[in-house]
Amino acid sequence: MESVTDLTVRQIGKTASAVMQRPLEVSAESDIGRDLGVDSLTLMNIVMDLEDVFELSIPLDRLADVETVGDLANLVNELRAKA
């Protein structure tokens, strides 16, 4: 059975692929900038789409600590748990 984090990582991968208009191989260990080639503007677009998908708001100051897809998944899950 997949964990909540695995499902969130998969959704982040789908969203990032859609925003970047190319297929991405994404794992929890994927570095968002280095491995996926995501710049800050693209990350904002991905985050906005994720906010719609998960129906939550991701504070910009919390993104400063996000380096990997797993970090972003953990942040999303933490915010979902508080909602």
Side-chain angles (χ1 to χ4, degrees):
M1 186 174 154
E2 282 191 297
S3 72
V4 171
T5 300
D6 292 336
L7 292 170
T8 305
V9 166
R10 189 147 30 101
Q11 181 60 55
I12 291 168
K14 280 187 205 168
T15 301
S17 292
V19 168
M20 297 181 74
Q21 298 180 333
R22 62 182 170 89
L24 296 171
E25 285 292 319
V26 174
S27 72
E29 292 77 34
S30 299
D31 184 284
I32 293 171
R34 188 179 62 240
D35 298 334
L36 304 184
V38 172
D39 61 22
S40 55
L41 179 62
T42 304
L43 180 58
M44 292 287 67
N45 289 329
I46 292 168
V47 166
M48 286 189 294
D49 284 4
L50 289 172
E51 288 177 330
D52 291 342
V53 168
F54 292 111
E55 298 180 348
L56 52 80
S57 179
I58 301 172
L60 292 180
D61 62 324
R62 298 291 304 276
L63 286 176
D65 299 327
V66 170
E67 292 181 11
T68 66
V69 171
D71 293 341
L72 183 54
N74 290 335
L75 175 58
V76 166
N77 290 332
E78 178 188 325
L79 294 169
R80 288 172 74 194
K82 289 180 181 174

